[in-house]
Amino acid sequence: MPRLIRNGAIVEDHGPEVLDLEQWLESTERSSRAVVLEPGESLASLLAHIDEIPMVLVNFPTFMDGRGFSYARELRERGYKGEIRAVGHFLRDQLTYLSRCGFNAFEFDDESELEEALPSLADFSEAYQASVDRPQPLFRRRAK
Amino acid sequence: MYVYDEYDQKIVDERVAQYRDQTARFLDGKLTDEQFLPLRLQNGLYVQRLAPMLRIAVPYGLMSSRQLRKIAQLSRDYDKGYVHVSTRQNIQFNWPELAEVPDLLAELASVQMHSIQTSGNCIRNTTTDQYAGVAVDELEDPRPWCEIIRQWSTLHPEFAFLPRKFKIAVCGTAEDRAAIYAHDIGLELVHNAAGEKGFKVLVGGGLGRTPVIGSQICPFLEPQHLLTYLEAILRVYNQHGRRDNKYKARIKILVKAMGVDAFREAVEKEWAVLRDGPSTLTEDEISRARSFFTAPVYQSLDAETVAAALAEQCSSDPVFGNWVKRNTVAHRVPGYRIVNVSLKATGYAPGDITDEQLELVADLADQYSFGELRTTHEQNIVLADVEQGQLYGLWQALQKAGLATANIGYLTDIICCPGGDYCSLANAKSIPVAEAIQARFEDMDYVYDLGPLELNISGCMNACGHHHIGHIGVLGVDKKGQEFYQVSLGGSQGKDASIGKILGPSFKQEDMPDILENLLTTFLSLRQEDEAFIDTYRRVGIDPFKERVYA
């Protein structure tokens, strides 16, 4: 059973079967299948079925590819409430950015990194921008 | 200037702590070279030819004397006692120890400075007019907007891993001194037909391997929408910019590939979702940003009396008079001048300044200019608010320290990257070329006679020396392991921005002063009356120069 970080804690995974975007769109059992997004895929087709998605995995083939950050944010901006899980080659140093964009689960390539990675979720306690985890930007929150 | 509150300070302090941990993990072997590379780059640390280079952010070029003194101290404690002012208005250290950088950053944080996003594939330091707030031709002070953009772009969670670096510049004047047409996004403060203020938005300009002049994407953006609109542009770029080839990864390539109309359409589509959301600026926030850039307490001076006294001093000391003429600029407040401190003395690397000079400039800023100064993208320093009656004292102090070379805007005020002497990306050295040219043209009467002339030198295609937009541009190239220099003519950085045209086959380093002399002699023979070089070039084209140089 793979282990991952979900909602700030290390848990064992009991996730649904995962399909790629094309398979998922064609599937008759969409609401019980997770979908994995690869960089460069268009979100538009997925957004048309936003209420049917139980879980989205966003793959990072390399941690330098920042397209996944926008995927998560766009899904959240359009009302998606389910799990968004980062998979692939992201770094613990990206955890605050990822969670601020709407990721709430992190499946590392190397599970032994989980314990050390967990505190990185709290690398930053404050931020300027509006984000998924804190929708008001700092300029609307600053003490007057 | 902007002053941190507890929130700003906390963000910077937490980044120092995070970077300290990243450095420790790298030194422990827990982060690979490949993993650490973008993390350190996003914190301004390059590993260069001889040592690491650390680039410190100077937001839109504005600094306090206290910050400058800190830089001087750090340059002694962690470096070799000098620093370099970059064409992004930042300050670079050339020799810090990688393991000591976290300590250096902690000290910087104590004076509200950092090195966040001064490098890497993220949004870089926003730049602006070095005369912001005091320029006579200013519609509105761009600095509050730069600060708003600085905060929005700092550690932005969605845009930290873009296809490539991303640069924004803002200008609020008739004359563009911020090169907004050569930026990924250029913003110009404008009035619409109803007299309301807003932004003209340009996108897809840039230098580097493929120089492009920016295209207008929005003629008038209402100010409250600035951040949501920027976010929409960045999102389109983040999703669609090329990631397969770093030479084709800048937004300019995407805009060209899509066409500006299709690009605009994609931005508008994203913007429709973001528009009027929480990132829409409030009146409170705009006023808060403006409140940091109010005018200092100027003396009420009689312009005519002050001007007469200055004219008197200028005629009794012509060397001073010449410096006033060349290095100072009209100020919007009667009785004041803007002073340029030239970092382009012959024999010194353009833009370099020593610890003692830094401390002197800090003292002079306190004494003569309300304790503030600006770095410029032409790699000089500006004291923006000097009473005309105090110019003489200021000049004497600058002159003693070698900081009063009267060459601002002239041939020897060369923009020049660190080049092959320092930079591991460079194909060729650039500083010795600049120095040889400065040495050849020591006759200042000749230099003044040439009129305004921008000579920009880059050691490689990355164009840190902005060679494409110099009236004369010089680019270092590598030919079978040997350093050569390609010359281009007719570049310009103003609102009539243009990209220079390549003259022809490249030249050897030792021939460069002769080539320059040849070009300038040609110019003088073709010039009509007091025409500037760029105007003559635009009138006659490149051919006469080509014929003469390759004869």
Side-chain angles (χ1 to χ4, degrees):
Chain A
M1 194 72 67
R3 293 162 71 238
L4 51 85
I5 295 173
R6 179 185 289 139
N7 300 330
I10 297 171
V11 297
E12 293 205 337
D13 180 40
H14 304 278
E17 189 188 332
V18 179
L19 304 177
D20 68 30
L21 181 60
E22 201 176 321
Q23 292 167 339
W24 188 86
L25 288 169
E26 285 168 6
S27 169
T28 52
E29 300 169 278
R30 282 197 286 262
S31 56
S32 59
R33 300 286 183 270
V35 55
V36 59
L37 282 171
E38 300 290 340
E41 289 182 331
S42 163
L43 209 55
S45 52
L46 191 60
L47 291 174
H49 302 281
I50 197 159
D51 297 332
E52 299 169 60
I53 319 169
M55 185 196 292
V56 179
L57 285 71
V58 178
N59 185 35
F60 289 84
T62 138
F63 72 96
M64 290 289 287
D65 193 325
R67 284 177 280 192
F69 293 86
S70 288
Y71 283 146
R73 229 175 139 196
E74 287 184 73
L75 281 164
R76 295 299 188 204
E77 278 165 9
R78 285 155 176 87
Y80 175 66
K81 299 271 192 275
E83 177 170 323
I84 305 182
R85 182 189 300 182
V87 298
H89 296 272
F90 60 94
L91 302 179
R92 62 181 264 199
D93 304 275
Q94 296 174 304
L95 285 185
T96 44
Y97 284 154
L98 288 165
S99 56
R100 290 181 58 208
C101 285
F103 286 90
N104 65 327
F106 308 94
E107 186 178 330
F108 282 82
D109 263 6
D110 179 358
E111 283 181 22
S112 68
E113 290 177 20
L114 285 179
E115 278 74 13
E116 284 198 338
L118 197 58
S120 288
L121 274 173
D123 276 353
F124 290 94
S125 61
E126 196 42 84
Y128 289 113
Q129 308 79 8
S131 59
V132 171
D133 60 341
R134 194 153 43 184
Q136 297 295 309
L138 180 58
F139 68 78
R140 289 178 188 266
R141 294 185 284 109
R142 276 189 205 267
K144 293 271 157 65
Chain B
M1 65 186 285
Y2 186 72
V3 179
Y4 283 9
D5 66 8
E6 75 227 67
Y7 296 101
D8 303 287
Q9 190 66 51
K10 185 175 233 177
I11 289 167
V12 168
D13 290 344
E14 288 181 341
R15 177 61 179 131
V16 174
Q18 187 194 40
Y19 187 72
R20 191 181 288 285
D21 176 59
Q22 288 167 344
T23 303
R25 280 155 56 215
F26 171 69
L27 293 172
D28 270 1
K30 289 181 181 166
L31 276 172
T32 64
D33 279 342
E34 187 204 7
Q35 290 170 331
F36 187 51
L37 175 82
L39 303 178
R40 65 171 163 77
L41 285 181
Q42 289 193 357
N43 221 27
L45 191 70
Y46 286 78
V47 173
Q48 293 289 47
R49 189 154 282 186
L50 304 165
M53 182 274 277
L54 180 67
R55 188 180 289 151
I56 306 301
V58 182
Y60 36 93
L62 194 58
M63 290 177 89
S64 67
S65 56
R66 173 167 169 253
Q67 291 175 323
L68 202 64
R69 283 194 192 93
K70 190 70 181 180
I71 297 285
Q73 176 233 313
L74 293 175
S75 81
R76 268 193 301 272
D77 294 352
Y78 293 89
D79 207 317
K80 296 187 175 181
Y82 67 97
V83 299
H84 175 75
V85 175
S86 83
T87 51
R88 245 199 122 66
Q89 299 182 286
N90 290 322
I91 285 185
Q92 294 177 182
F93 285 79
N94 288 305
W95 314 88
E97 287 290 332
L98 187 139
E100 288 181 359
V101 168
D103 293 336
L104 194 166
L105 294 174
E107 292 208 41
L108 269 183
S110 74
V111 294
Q112 311 193 342
M113 294 188 84
H114 60 76
S115 62
I116 295 169
Q117 289 165 221
T118 53
S119 175
N121 294 341
C122 49
I123 306 171
R124 304 289 189 86
N125 184 29
T126 298
T127 50
T128 190
D129 180 6
Q130 65 267 28
Y131 304 150
V134 292
V136 287
D137 60 342
E138 189 169 271
L139 190 67
E140 189 183 331
D141 190 341
R143 293 172 301 171
W145 301 104
C146 291
E147 177 56 29
I148 285 169
I149 296 168
R150 183 193 74 80
Q151 297 194 14
W152 163 77
S153 60
T154 297
L155 304 175
H156 195 296
E158 189 177 346
F159 306 127
F161 296 89
L162 296 168
R164 198 78 177 85
K165 59 189 168 184
F166 202 92
K167 300 178 178 179
I168 302 175
V170 189
C171 98
T173 50
E175 184 195 341
D176 167 26
R177 282 178 292 267
I180 59 168
Y181 283 84
H183 279 77
D184 295 284
I185 292 178
L187 296 166
E188 182 186 348
L189 282 151
V190 292
H191 280 157
N192 67 3
E196 297 156 333
K197 277 176 193 154
F199 295 97
K200 177 157 97 184
V201 185
L202 310 168
V203 71
L207 301 175
R209 196 165 287 247
T210 316
V212 181
I213 301 295
S215 308
Q216 183 176 304
I217 178 174
C218 177
F220 186 84
L221 179 71
E222 292 174 273
Q224 70 271 26
H225 297 309
L226 178 64
L227 297 184
T228 53
Y229 196 79
L230 291 179
E231 209 144 286
I233 296 176
L234 263 297
R235 185 173 285 172
V236 172
Y237 172 56
N238 189 37
Q239 284 295 21
H240 301 290
R242 283 181 65 171
R243 290 175 186 266
D244 59 329
N245 178 344
K246 77 178 231 185
Y247 300 116
K248 298 192 184 300
R250 295 287 289 271
I251 195 172
K252 60 195 171 190
I253 305 291
L254 177 65
V255 173
K256 282 224 150 171
M258 290 176 77
V260 70
D261 293 326
F263 184 82
R264 180 185 300 113
E265 211 170 292
V267 169
E268 299 273 338
K269 207 171 145 194
E270 278 303 329
W271 191 39
V273 181
L274 299 167
R275 188 181 174 153
D276 298 323
S279 299
T280 306
L281 288 165
T282 58
E283 275 307 317
D284 276 356
E285 174 60 3
I286 296 170
S287 313
R288 190 184 98 88
R290 284 200 178 116
S291 72
F292 291 101
F293 302 95
T294 52
V297 185
Y298 292 115
Q299 300 290 323
S300 161
L301 300 168
D302 179 60
E304 279 178 32
T305 316
V306 170
L310 181 62
E312 176 67 37
Q313 282 178 313
C314 288
S315 63
S316 65
D317 188 338
V319 181
F320 168 66
N322 182 54
W323 175 82
V324 170
K325 183 173 172 188
R326 313 298 175 183
N327 284 23
T328 74
V329 178
H331 193 289
R332 66 176 181 80
V333 175
Y336 283 79
R337 296 287 285 179
I338 302 169
V339 170
N340 280 281
V341 178
S342 172
L343 304 184
K344 309 292 177 63
T346 301
Y348 297 90
D352 276 14
I353 180 166
T354 68
D355 57 337
E356 286 174 3
Q357 288 175 324
L358 288 164
E359 279 163 349
L360 175 73
V361 172
D363 291 344
L364 296 174
D366 282 341
Q367 199 177 343
Y368 296 107
S369 196
F370 300 99
E372 288 182 11
L373 58 125
R374 297 112 184 266
T375 48
T376 80
H377 84 272
E378 284 98 353
Q379 304 174 292
N380 294 308
I381 288 178
V382 162
L383 297 174
D385 296 293
V386 183
E387 262 184 63
Q388 290 184 18
Q390 301 198 315
L391 285 171
Y392 196 79
L394 172 58
W395 169 72
Q396 286 181 310
L398 288 172
Q399 212 190 23
K400 266 186 223 152
L403 295 168
T405 311
N407 63 351
I408 297 296
Y410 291 95
L411 172 67
T412 55
D413 182 11
I414 300 172
I415 293 183
C416 181
C417 71
D421 292 302
Y422 295 98
C423 178
S424 55
L425 302 172
N427 292 322
K429 294 186 176 73
S430 47
I431 295 168
V433 176
E435 287 180 347
I437 291 170
Q438 286 174 328
R440 169 68 62 94
F441 299 98
E442 274 212 302
D443 175 358
M444 290 309 286
D445 288 333
Y446 178 79
V447 168
Y448 297 144
D449 185 49
L450 294 169
L453 187 54
E454 290 164 13
L455 171 60
N456 298 0
I457 306 177
S458 303
C460 76
M461 278 297 188
N462 289 304
C464 296
H466 296 179
H467 63 277
H468 300 297
I469 52 171
H471 300 157
I472 300 177
V474 174
L475 166 66
V477 293
D478 178 278
K479 273 212 246 176
K480 296 176 189 154
Q482 287 209 301
E483 296 183 1
F484 278 76
Y485 297 86
Q486 186 182 72
V487 173
S488 56
L489 300 182
S492 162
Q493 62 169 334
K495 280 186 185 162
D496 59 348
S498 54
I499 303 291
K501 223 166 147 178
I502 294 166
L503 188 65
S506 51
F507 308 101
K508 287 187 193 159
Q509 186 180 318
E510 61 264 32
D511 294 337
M512 285 306 291
D514 288 340
I515 300 301
L516 250 288
E517 190 161 332
N518 236 330
L519 287 170
L520 296 171
T521 310
T522 311
F523 157 58
L524 291 173
S525 70
L526 296 165
R527 178 191 218 178
Q528 291 178 350
E529 292 167 18
D530 286 339
E531 222 172 22
F533 177 88
I534 184 71
D535 297 323
T536 302
Y537 171 85
R538 284 179 174 163
R539 186 168 50 76
V540 304
I542 202 161
D543 291 340
F545 294 97
K546 211 180 236 176
E547 280 160 24
R548 178 72 175 261
V549 167
Y550 295 102

